[in-house]
Amino acid sequence: MSISTPSAELSVQQITLAQPFQDQKPGTSGLRKSSKQFEQPHYLESFVEAVLRTLPGVEGGTLIVGGDGRYGNRRAIDVIARMAAAHGLGRLVVTTGGILSTPAASHLIRQQQAIGGIILSASHNPGGPNGDFGVKVNGANGGPAPASFTDAVFACTQQLDGYRIADSLNLNLDAAGSTHLGAMAIDVIDGVHDYLQLMQELFDFDLISTLLKGSWPMAFDAMHAVTGPYASALFEQLLGAPAGTVRNGMPLEDFGGGHPDPNLTYAKDLASLLLGSDDYRFGAACDGDGDRNMILGQRCFVNPSDSLAVLTANATLIKGYASGLAGVARSMPTSAAVDVVAKELGIDCFETPTGWKFFGNLLDAGRITLCGEESFGTGSNHIREKDGLWAVLFWLSILAKRQCSVAEVMQQHWSRFGRHYYSRHDYEGVETGKAHALYNGLRERLSSLSGEAFADGRIAKADDFAYSDPVDGSLTEKQGLRLLLEDGSRVILRLSGTGTKGATLRVYLERYVAAGGDLQQDPQQALGSMIAAADALAGIRATTGMDRPTVIT
Ligand code: G1P
Ligand code: ZN
């Protein structure tokens, strides 16, 4: 550990920008752009300057910084440290190797009572010199900063004339230790340890360990992204699973050329191990920054909407949730599977717009305990982000407690609560103009659609989803086009807010079959008539020129 004394002497440069950047509008997950864009001179610095000017409490405060290990991670940490010192930050907490998953960052912000954190990640987008990079800011509650903050940052970047940065820093990220840059303390800490401790408070590790040490092979795919070091320590060291349980466990700057998104398309090696053989009982994967999860059983895929419903129905079996749930929430496009469970449990169920930040107020106010999104995100009040490994531990705990397979859990769930057949069809890389024309065209026709025949039924109501926050009363509009059918089925269209190439159109399809009905259909078949009707109504194939979605979940 290197020791140095604080010194008021800090050589700070004042850099003048010839002109401000106009394209630094953060999306749902921070500023996400290609690595090449971030490598333009002053580009990263401009955004960081705006963040440091806007974030409350920088002077003398504590800030957490780390990322998912992708190309650009270490350079960004160096820049942020030098700029934070120039802005009078009191203490910077960085993690060894710069490795810090999004959920672990959320935990550290809360635990260290920091003013917030800067997470360097483009989540599940590919990385490397030709991939994407991202800078996301979380607030003091550990959750993604609200729109009021990101709007203010954007406004600041648009008229920025320059930035302040300390000259140089020789920061050793390879070992834990403490140092100073001028008066700012820098603590390099292990980013894995505190997170694993939190997991041990929530889950019965002896119970899970007995399962994993028995002849119960599981495979975890870290996709060469941030969860590798966490998962190896967790599954193979703490819980005693055999070496090799964690696959692709070494974080790489380009994720080994892969697309670190845990779904059936991008985690297909893991999917074929579980769905195409009988060698494993359980499989799971997390995304680039560790907040998403995919759960697989032997020949069984758990869709994330169902996963949230299963966690809710089984929560009292779990150590950290034994006393029950305050309530639950799901994003609007997530299926209503959890609603049925919440109703039976007699707890509140909230429907929020897409994006984790909308859960923050409900969690902070103690109105909900669990929440989730169809996009492989599940989490709880333990932090203010979705949490991939947490979801895996939750599932393992249920399986260890109930001593049954994933497929049996699902069958029993559906025969008790009914089944929400569900699928999301993504059309990626659509020409932006065409995507917006399609979307706006449908939006204009919404009011004329109620009462119209659709698939095997009729549209009861069509609208553009708006959310009124039950905690602070704020209104968020234009969150997705909904076709609500008379029998409770739904079709939703949204344009992605996280893509970096062209536009991504997402079509979400859902049909409910009550317990006692046919619960054994293939989802694509069960939804077949709705898929065709959605295409006919919105002209998706004709407009995009694509004859099938890029990703089907
Ligand atoms: C996607 C998901 C959304 C999630 C977000 C960040 O956003 O759909 O549920 O919160 O990534 O992980 P989208 O690209 O749809 O705007
Ligand atoms: Zn992510």
Side-chain angles (χ1 to χ4, degrees), residues 29 32 68 70 102-103 121-125 136 260-262 286-292 385-386:
S29 307
R32 197 175 285 184
D68 64 10
R70 70 178 63 221
T102 290
S121 171
S123 186
H124 48 282
N125 290 15
K136 180 175 147 177
D261 200 3
C286 290
D287 72 329
D289 62 331
D291 56 359
R292 294 185 174 193
E385 286 278 4
K386 52 191 178 247

Side-chain angles (χ1 to χ4, degrees), residues 252-326:
L252 298 175
E253 287 204 327
D254 65 349
F255 307 119
H259 192 143
D261 200 3
N263 59 36
L264 295 173
T265 303
Y266 296 125
K268 62 176 181 309
D269 293 349
L270 180 79
S272 53
L273 278 186
L274 271 294
L275 304 179
S277 85
D278 292 311
D279 297 344
Y280 292 89
R281 300 282 171 277
F282 183 79
C286 290
D287 72 329
D289 62 331
D291 56 359
R292 294 185 174 193
N293 73 90
M294 176 168 71
I295 303 293
L296 298 161
Q298 191 176 338
R299 301 200 183 265
C300 176
F301 164 72
V302 180
N303 94 49
S305 299
D306 278 347
S307 180
L308 177 62
V310 167
L311 302 195
T312 302
N314 291 276
T316 51
L317 298 177
I318 311 300
K319 181 175 155 188
Y321 306 91
S323 60
L325 307 175

